[in-house]
Amino acid sequence: GKVLVTGANGYIGIWIVRTLLEKGYSVRGTVRSESKTEHLRNTFASYGDKLEFAVVEDITKEGAFDDAVKGVDAIEHTASPVYATAGDPEEMIRPAVVGTTGILKSALQHGTSIKRIVYTSSCATIITVQDTPREFSEADWNEKSIDEARVKGRDAAPTHKYYASKTLAERAAWEFVERNKETIGWDLVTLNPPFVFGPTIHEVNRLEGMNASMNEWVKNVLNGVKDTKQLSDIGLSSVDVRDVAEGHVLALQKEEAGGERMILSEGPHKWQEWVNAVREHNVEVPVAGDASFDPTKAAHHTLYDGSKANRLLGIRYRTLKETTRDLVEDWRMREWI
Ligand code: NDP
């Protein structure tokens, strides 16, 4: 079959393209300008005409995806603003929401062969930043960020602006499906990863020029922005980018996944675990923290129940150590560290 991947040049998008091609699918990738196809064409030259492109300059334009959806069997929708330095929250919310409802509308009207649409959502739509420890599941929705963005507007924290954009976009997608359930010939799956880490194969030329989540990783692990206490206190859940891509392909293949939102998380970790893992590969870091930190004894403030994806997709996640090993190997090869 042929799969449309939006945001094909992004950190996660290009891994989805690669995984689909490796598994024998044809791919049509969307990017915002012709020049963004070049790196993809070079990377996947060996796949010949199994990879094609559609340039969609503005995903908020009425009918922007009308042509792109024609003739494909499924869609993986990843394109959405990620931690832009938005002033007005609407700068992020509009492309996230209208980009998502727009592609669903195009699929409804012109995607006659489409059977499934997978939307790359986020744990940002699930978590509510809270004072007490808590486990979250797919039943939870992040109302707080929507309120913050509405009430504080430009003064809302950047995190809330991004989280609100993702929450409103995913909600709009489910509402679209509900509203049109009598007429649509496809079903929707949303995948909700926490922080996504792991090797980059999109167009990046230096360690500091990566996407938002990997920038965060580099800052915290390699640049030493946290002190020893923070390293073992502050935690986050994460998942390897290759497993996120694998999840996007499995979500197309597993019948039972239809109509589900699914958390894709390998698990919670403290930053100290990542620091310890890179140091095992003799990478020097400014703040080494506490090398004897025992992750099995760590208490985590925010937990995600990832059992649904385990059950429905049967995903096996790479461990933190595997992700770290591959990051270090890649960066050494590129002479970035
Ligand atoms: P990237 O920034 O690497 O990729 C974002 C992609 O979306 C790019 O292709 C980008 O195109 C496109 N995009 C951004 N804004 C717009 C817009 N206004 N109109 C059209 N296209 C746009 O980030 P990721 O790969 O990390 O993110 C991909 C998806 O995964 C997003 O939906 C994000 O919310 C989600 N996600 C990411 C997580 C992470 O930790 N990385 C965690 C959970 C979810 P261009 O290059 O032209 O800007």
Side-chain angles (χ1 to χ4, degrees), residues 182-193:
E182 310 301 336
T183 43
I184 52 177
W186 39 263
D187 56 18
L188 178 70
V189 179
T190 72
L191 298 178
N192 302 62

Side-chain angles (χ1 to χ4, degrees), residues 6-13 30 32 36 56-57 59 77-82 95 119-123 162 166 192-197 202 211-213:
T6 71
N9 63 316
Y11 172 52
I12 295 174
T30 77
R32 287 203 266 189
K36 292 185 181 179
V56 178
E57 277 173 27
I59 64 175
H77 177 49
T78 84
S80 199
V82 184
Y119 167 60
T120 316
S121 188
S122 167
C123 279
Y162 170 66
K166 294 300 286 183
N192 302 62
F195 274 92
V196 180
F197 298 138
H202 64 306
N211 67 296
S213 54

Side-chain angles (χ1 to χ4, degrees), residues 84-99:
T85 46
D88 186 337
E90 276 304 311
E91 289 168 29
M92 298 192 81
I93 292 171
R94 206 176 116 73
V97 173
V98 180

